[in-house]
Amino acid sequence: MQAKETLFADLVQGRAQQFQVPLYQRTYSWTEKHLKQLWSDILEQAQLLESEEEKASTHFLGSVVLAPSPQNEATFPRWLVVDGQQRLTTLSLALAAIRDHVADTAPDEAERINEEYLINKRKSGNDHLRLLPTQADRPQFTAHIRGPLTDQTAGSGVATAYAFFRKKLVEADDPAAPQDVFRIEQAITSRLTLVAVTAERGDNVHRIFESLNNTGLKLSQADLLRNYLFMRLTTRGEHVYETYWLPLQGSLSNDELEQLMWLQLVLDGDDRVRRQDLYAAQQKHFEERRTSEAEIEGYIRELHRRSVHFRRLLHPEEEPDLTVRAALRRLDAWQAAVTYPALMLLLDRRERGELDSSEVARAVAYIESFLVRRMICRVPTNNLNRIFQAAPGQLPLDVPVTEGLHRLLSSENRFWPDDAELRDKIRKAPFYQYGRPQQRKLVLQRLEESYGHPEPVDFTAAQLTVEHVMPQSPGDEWLRALSEETADDETAEELHALFQHTLGNLTLTAVNSELSNHPFERKQDLLRGSHLEMNRRIAATERWGVREILARADELANRAIDLWPAPLRGVGRAERSRDWQLAHQVLAALPHGTWTSYGDVAAFLGSGAQAVGNHLANTPGVAYAYRVLTSEGRVSDGFRWAAPQDAGSDDVRARLAADGVRFTSSGAADPAQRLTADDLAALLAGTDDETDGEDNAQDGTVEAPGEETRAERFFRQLTADDSPETVDAVRALFVHWEELGGWIGHGAGRVTTSAFLMLGEAGGPGRGIWPMTLYPGTGRGGTAEVVFQYLAAREPFTERSLRAELLTRLNALDGVDIPEGKLELRPNIRLSLLEKDRNREVLAQTLTWFRDRWEDRSAS
């Protein structure tokens, strides 16, 4: 191999030659972000030329790796572009834009640019192009180099890049600050340096390709495997590419294609391969079998066939059978990509004639039930990948596929809850705290549909949200009603914590925040007019308390049992100990300086406080069991160590103090350090679902003609609950945030809306960050939620020291004392504290500090 520094002009000028982008290379993918950076570099070099500082440093653009093409000729050199096609394509398009920009005013110069850099004048067909892209990009690129510009693909990267440069050249002609377009041409051709690495004919180009991938120029597993496949197709590459690969690549994104390749490995029996090991596993498979070119073609043909099945999972509307389509839509809404191996198997068996559509629909119903019942019963999801990845290879051979899948999912350690467990969890478990929001909504939607209303709701058009009938923030009237149902040593607040999040207390509604936390009589009037049958049934009851919640839970349980089939009996049931395992997990996760109560743990589990106490007293080895106290923050009179302690280590208060728990003057644990049932749920939930700000935060524009904006809704709700001084302070906070370069995103909630203090771009996950979310109080005063838990997964605040500094700065506000233990959670600050001038100043300084830390990270 030879390497040398060169310029674009030196690389492509001179005699007729061609640079071919191999079939295995990814398509052109530079975005406006890349183009803007390149344009800035080009203008900088053009300005240096204009000021005659030609000795100034040129701009290093990167490397280009070339290898002799199999079609190489002595009189017409052809080179494979192993690496650098994005740079060469972009520079060629920039020069084509310059050529077209001057075509009318300087046609001779336009022709010169064309002949020196873009075409081989005396060659025809594909040989006419000096750069020959992959087949996917070729029509667009050819149209821009040779014309005419017709039938452009919408969203084409090539067309987007060409249009970008045409626009920038028009801007460069601004009379107020004119820039010589030929200086720009000269900067591109003679001021952008490249390192050209040229391989000899005997060099293994594929190994070069792999080496580049291992040294920072990251390519996907699909890119590597595509390269490998077409390097092996020495005689039929063009035919296979046009017949199978190009349609395949057009129907799936690169990530989806990689997923399909992985699924094919799984379906072919390799049930333990990880997606990140796809390329190595498939390469090993081919080389161990000494796979021929015909077999490689067969593999790609099979990928093409199965891509039709895969698209039906990604786009259920493409499934022709109505029943199967509806079932696939529900799994798509559930975001059940983990089930793809089993679903692909079912669609493949149907195509082969081993199943009909009714059997496929029944099998998908088993899969849906498996997921839904586990979610309602709070079974951890961490083994779902393994279960479904192994399914194709573990299906029993002595029964039809549908029955085999039912048996497989019912077997021991699959933890498919039976009817009794499902009924029990619907009565007791805090449904609202488990699973993803769209999953909870889907369960309620399916239950509503089970009523068979003659005029069913269009759930895709209706803007429905999950509503607590007994509110999350109950007023005095609700608590007085609950106190009538309390047992000995039980408070109304504890009873509320036990039942507020259970399925029996939840419904769907499109009614706005007027529902909120109003008394039940007011909610009855609103629910009575609902089009949903479940809401009309709630409205028909005289009161709403624990008895009514449990009665509705039993009714919903009956419907759930009919909707979602049960596992087979006698296959081998799982133990019921996992509920306590969940308790052990959450207690082990208690941060330093926190405690919780028996009632909080009970509400988190859907159990009883006494049962929690008995279990902890009789189960040795439970981490931090001594940090479970009474609701008043005291050691229970019945507390005992489950196992003997060393002398001097059995003092509970001493152990609590050593763990950072503070005590008040009355001897009780500091209530600010207590973790509620909601806090415990958040501890185990992690940050997977913390995308509300990115996915839902919008800038407060009108949702529909005549509707109030999200911003108007937020301030209407805030004004109804907080003083004018607090509302003014929040408005001033928003103004300051926007002056810092941030923007205010508003959540989609109608019952309770929200406002996010956003930094970064709107419009997609991973683009923004926010330090806090503001909520109106719905009767108890507005709050600002500090999202430490979310920040722990976002740079630069993955560093705990930065989150700790944010906490310290917030604690400088008068009236704020967030314990360090809540750095793992999302504690609240009362918005009314912002009425103080000093607090507003401190918060403004804190937010400026936050912005600066984020920008430091972005700049680096």
Side-chain angles (χ1 to χ4, degrees):
M1 294 177 64
Q2 298 177 359
K4 66 175 182 178
E5 185 171 307
T6 188
L7 301 169
F8 181 82
D10 294 337
L11 185 68
V12 302
Q13 271 183 319
R15 62 178 178 166
Q17 60 179 327
Q18 188 174 71
F19 299 88
Q20 301 175 341
V21 180
L23 300 176
Y24 55 75
Q25 285 276 24
R26 68 178 73 185
T27 55
Y28 182 72
S29 59
W30 268 29
T31 64
E32 187 161 319
K33 175 183 177 182
H34 302 101
L35 298 173
K36 283 182 176 178
Q37 182 59 57
L38 174 62
W39 184 249
S40 175
D41 297 332
I42 290 170
L43 289 186
E44 181 183 28
Q45 292 299 321
Q47 288 162 5
L48 290 173
L49 286 169
E50 194 161 0
S51 61
E52 299 184 349
E53 294 181 35
E54 297 184 3
K55 294 183 179 180
S57 297
T58 56
H59 177 74
F60 176 63
L61 193 59
S63 62
V64 176
V65 180
L66 306 173
S69 168
Q71 291 87 40
N72 193 24
E73 298 173 7
T75 58
F76 185 49
R78 295 181 175 93
W79 304 94
L80 292 179
V81 184
V82 180
D83 182 64
Q85 67 124 334
Q86 305 286 339
R87 300 181 186 93
L88 295 184
T89 304
T90 305
L91 296 179
S92 297
L93 289 169
L95 289 167
I98 292 173
R99 174 201 65 190
D100 296 342
H101 182 78
V102 301
D104 291 337
T105 57
D108 291 342
E109 292 296 328
E111 186 177 357
R112 175 187 60 78
I113 293 170
N114 209 33
E115 293 178 8
E116 288 185 358
Y117 305 114
L118 302 175
I119 66 168
N120 296 306
K121 186 176 181 179
R122 290 178 169 75
K123 297 289 184 180
S124 60
N126 285 340
D127 290 349
H128 187 67
L129 298 175
R130 197 152 291 202
L131 175 67
L132 186 67
T134 66
Q135 285 172 306
D137 289 325
R138 201 171 295 168
Q140 283 292 303
F141 186 82
T142 302
H144 286 84
I145 300 303
R146 300 180 65 173
L149 287 177
T150 58
D151 301 324
Q152 292 192 35
T153 303
S156 158
V158 168
T160 299
Y162 174 83
F164 171 87
F165 289 117
R166 287 302 302 266
K167 176 185 174 184
K168 291 299 181 183
L169 289 167
V170 172
E171 293 176 6
D173 272 346
D174 182 0
Q179 291 166 309
D180 187 342
V181 67
F182 295 108
R183 296 280 191 204
I184 294 174
E185 177 211 341
Q186 189 180 355
I188 292 172
T189 57
S190 63
R191 301 289 300 174
L192 301 180
T193 58
L194 299 161
V195 169
V197 180
T198 308
E200 302 293 340
R201 180 167 294 279
D203 291 335
N204 188 325
V205 178
H206 176 59
R207 294 302 179 203
I208 298 171
F209 194 79
E210 286 184 305
S211 176
L212 288 167
N213 191 56
N214 291 329
T215 55
L217 302 175
K218 280 298 181 185
L219 299 165
S220 72
Q221 295 288 298
D223 291 328
L224 287 166
L225 188 52
R226 175 183 55 206
N227 166 43
Y228 176 82
L229 294 171
F230 282 97
M231 289 295 291
R232 295 283 300 271
L233 289 170
T234 55
T235 63
R236 293 181 57 79
E238 285 278 347
H239 168 75
V240 173
Y241 193 91
E242 288 188 5
T243 307
Y244 302 115
W245 193 270
L246 200 55
L248 182 64
Q249 190 170 265
S251 67
L252 299 173
S253 69
N254 201 59
D255 183 69
E256 290 165 351
L257 181 55
E258 181 178 298
Q259 193 172 12
L260 175 61
M261 290 172 160
W262 172 79
L263 284 167
Q264 181 143 322
L265 261 180
V266 172
L267 292 169
D268 288 345
D270 195 344
D271 66 352
R272 292 189 177 274
V273 64
R274 301 179 305 167
R275 233 180 103 171
Q276 57 263 44
D277 299 329
L278 160 68
Y279 163 63
Q282 190 65 72
Q283 182 191 32
K284 180 181 178 183
H285 174 76
F286 285 141
E287 293 184 353
E288 284 181 347
R289 294 177 53 187
R290 298 184 178 179
T291 307
S292 67
E293 187 171 353
E295 289 170 320
I296 294 286
E297 180 177 347
Y299 167 80
I300 296 174
R301 186 168 57 246
E302 182 69 357
L303 265 182
H304 179 264
R305 182 184 74 85
R306 282 176 164 161
S307 70
V308 177
H309 304 159
F310 189 45
R311 277 192 60 87
R312 290 174 183 172
L313 307 188
L314 301 172
H315 310 285
E317 64 274 9
E318 297 181 9
E319 164 58 42
D321 183 83
L322 290 175
T323 308
V324 175
R325 185 191 311 159
L328 292 179
R329 275 178 172 159
R330 290 194 294 271
L331 288 183
D332 183 57
W334 194 268
Q335 296 182 359
V338 69
T339 66
Y340 284 175
L343 296 176
M344 289 285 288
L345 175 75
L346 293 172
L347 296 182
D348 179 69
R349 296 292 179 89
R350 182 179 65 175
E351 184 176 336
R352 295 175 188 276
E354 299 177 30
L355 294 172
D356 60 26
S357 289
S358 65
E359 291 169 316
V360 171
R362 185 155 56 92
V364 177
Y366 292 141
I367 293 172
E368 180 185 331
S369 173
F370 183 77
L371 296 175
V372 173
R373 285 182 176 234
R374 283 169 57 106
M375 177 264 194
I376 293 174
C377 296
R378 299 158 62 88
V379 181
T381 60
N382 51 10
N383 65 339
L384 283 178
N385 273 311
R386 182 75 195 110
I387 289 172
F388 284 104
Q389 195 169 332
Q394 292 182 345
L395 278 176
L397 300 178
D398 57 340
V399 294
V401 174
T402 300
E403 283 70 23
L405 185 64
H406 195 190
R407 181 193 297 181
L408 180 66
L409 295 179
S410 300
S411 60
E412 188 175 1
N413 295 328
R414 294 307 193 277
F415 305 114
W416 186 357
D418 59 18
D419 291 348
E421 185 175 359
L422 181 65
R423 191 181 299 278
D424 180 67
K425 287 298 185 290
I426 287 177
R427 284 175 63 90
K428 298 177 182 177
F431 174 81
Y432 190 72
Q433 292 179 324
Y434 205 75
R436 295 177 179 270
Q438 78 277 4
Q439 294 171 348
R440 299 192 287 266
K441 186 176 176 181
L442 187 63
V443 168
L444 285 162
Q445 175 183 323
R446 291 277 280 145
L447 290 169
E448 167 63 27
E449 290 171 337
S450 73
Y451 287 99
H453 196 283
E455 297 180 17
V457 171
D458 181 358
F459 286 98
T460 58
Q463 294 183 330
L464 300 175
T465 57
V466 177
E467 162 76 0
H468 291 70
V469 184
M470 178 175 66
Q472 297 185 72
S473 300
D476 293 338
E477 194 167 334
W478 280 100
L479 293 175
R480 280 196 300 271
L482 282 174
S483 65
E484 298 171 4
E485 299 185 86
T486 57
D488 294 341
D489 300 324
E490 186 178 44
T491 67
E493 287 80 5
E494 289 172 335
L495 202 59
H496 171 263
L498 279 173
F499 289 98
Q500 63 167 328
H501 295 315
T502 58
L503 191 54
N505 187 49
L506 301 174
T507 189
L508 291 173
T509 179
V511 180
N512 63 23
S513 61
E514 293 176 30
L515 276 176
S516 188
N517 65 335
H518 287 297
F520 182 62
E521 291 77 11
R522 172 61 178 149
K523 290 198 170 190
Q524 277 181 304
D525 294 338
L526 295 168
L527 294 173
R528 195 173 286 120
S530 171
H531 195 64
L532 274 66
E533 183 63 26
M534 64 168 63
N535 288 342
R536 290 204 284 258
R537 291 181 178 234
I538 293 170
T541 60
E542 294 183 4
R543 63 184 299 278
W544 196 257
V546 173
R547 289 190 299 274
E548 290 73 24
I549 291 172
L550 289 174
R552 182 166 179 268
D554 291 337
E555 178 192 349
L556 295 180
N558 291 334
R559 293 183 174 277
I561 287 167
D562 291 339
L563 275 174
W564 293 294
L568 295 170
R569 294 179 178 273
V571 180
R573 301 307 307 138
E575 315 85 26
R576 294 288 298 276
S577 61
R578 65 173 174 272
D579 289 342
W580 291 123
Q581 183 61 29
L582 201 61
H584 300 174
Q585 289 175 13
V586 78
L587 291 181
L590 288 179
H592 183 79
T594 61
W595 62 277
T596 190
S597 74
Y598 294 101
D600 293 320
V601 176
F604 166 71
L605 294 176
S607 179
Q610 186 172 353
V612 171
N614 290 338
H615 176 79
L616 296 181
N618 294 294
T619 308
V622 179
Y624 300 135
Y626 57 88
R627 284 163 68 179
V628 182
L629 308 174
T630 68
S631 58
E632 293 81 22
R634 300 183 184 278
V635 179
S636 170
D637 292 338
F639 175 83
R640 68 174 186 273
W641 295 100
Q645 302 294 301
D646 295 334
S649 65
D650 57 353
D651 185 334
V652 178
R653 279 180 58 97
R655 293 280 287 274
L656 290 168
D659 284 353
V661 176
R662 302 187 298 260
F663 294 91
T664 65
S665 57
S666 66
D670 186 345
Q673 296 180 303
R674 175 182 173 179
L675 300 189
T676 66
D678 288 347
D679 292 332
L680 296 178
L683 270 183
L684 290 193
T687 59
D688 288 346
D689 291 334
E690 288 303 311
T691 57
D692 287 351
E694 293 159 314
D695 293 341
N696 296 328
Q698 297 183 4
D699 61 4
T701 55
V702 176
E703 293 184 336
E707 281 196 21
E708 64 182 349
T709 65
R710 293 185 178 189
E712 289 168 345
R713 183 182 305 134
F714 173 82
F715 276 106
R716 174 172 58 77
Q717 293 181 6
L718 187 68
T719 302
D721 195 47
D722 275 284
S723 70
E725 291 77 13
T726 297
V727 175
D728 289 344
V730 172
R731 291 188 187 276
L733 172 66
F734 287 1
V735 169
H736 174 73
W737 185 248
E738 289 171 339
E739 289 173 349
L740 290 175
W743 56 281
I744 309 301
H746 290 277
R750 290 173 172 266
V751 174
T752 300
T753 188
S754 52
F756 298 80
L757 302 185
M758 301 291 298
L759 285 173
E761 297 180 54
R767 295 187 178 182
I769 192 171
W770 65 100
M772 56 176 56
T773 309
L774 279 63
Y775 296 96
T778 61
R780 297 203 166 189
T783 56
E785 179 183 76
V786 188
V787 291
F788 289 122
Q789 187 180 42
Y790 151 80
L791 291 173
R794 266 67 174 183
E795 296 289 351
F797 297 95
T798 51
E799 291 186 27
R800 195 177 191 278
S801 61
L802 283 179
R803 301 198 306 280
E805 184 172 351
L806 175 59
L807 179 143
T808 300
R809 288 172 174 272
L810 291 171
N811 279 343
L813 275 71
D814 294 337
V816 176
D817 185 16
I818 302 171
E820 186 178 356
K822 294 200 174 181
L823 268 180
E824 318 299 327
L825 299 168
R826 292 168 296 183
N828 291 322
I829 295 172
R830 308 303 309 181
L831 291 179
S832 58
L833 296 175
L834 298 182
E835 293 181 12
K836 293 185 177 182
D837 291 343
R838 180 186 177 278
N839 281 347
R840 288 198 300 274
E841 292 172 7
V842 172
L843 183 57
Q845 293 167 3
T846 299
L847 293 176
T848 302
W849 169 87
F850 181 92
R851 188 277 313 269
D852 292 345
R853 299 291 79 71
W854 186 74
E855 288 190 344
D856 289 346
R857 167 261 177 193
S858 300
S860 63

